[in-house]
Amino acid sequence: MNEDVFNMAIRKFLKEVGVTSQREIERVVREHKVKGDRLKLRMTLTAEGTPLEHVVEKEIDID
């Protein structure tokens, strides 16, 4: 396994996840589909065929 190629592939994937996720969060807030002034977020990362399940949760203010 080439570590540099592997690390670049992971970074590219995470960048795509970050950018597209931010756009979707902004869209939901912009379209007023959020009740209240806080948004509870949860991101779950899995990898097919592995036991990987990494969960990140966060509440953010949207006011």
Side-chain angles (χ1 to χ4, degrees):
M1 174 176 71
N2 183 318
E3 290 285 331
D4 290 333
V5 172
F6 179 62
N7 285 331
M8 288 303 294
I10 292 172
R11 288 175 186 225
K12 185 176 179 179
F13 170 75
L14 292 173
K15 183 176 181 180
E16 182 178 345
V17 168
V19 170
T20 57
S21 297
Q22 181 174 348
R23 287 179 185 156
E24 287 302 304
I25 293 167
E26 289 171 345
R27 180 186 59 78
V28 166
V29 171
R30 190 173 42 253
E31 293 175 0
H32 307 287
K33 295 183 177 178
V34 178
K35 296 178 184 174
D37 59 355
R38 292 189 60 78
L39 185 60
K40 185 174 183 178
L41 302 168
R42 178 184 305 114
M43 179 70 70
T44 303
L45 173 66
T46 61
E48 191 172 321
T50 75
L52 176 63
E53 184 171 335
H54 177 71
V55 178
V56 177
E57 296 182 320
K58 182 78 174 181
E59 281 193 40
I60 59 173
D61 291 324
I62 59 171
D63 57 352

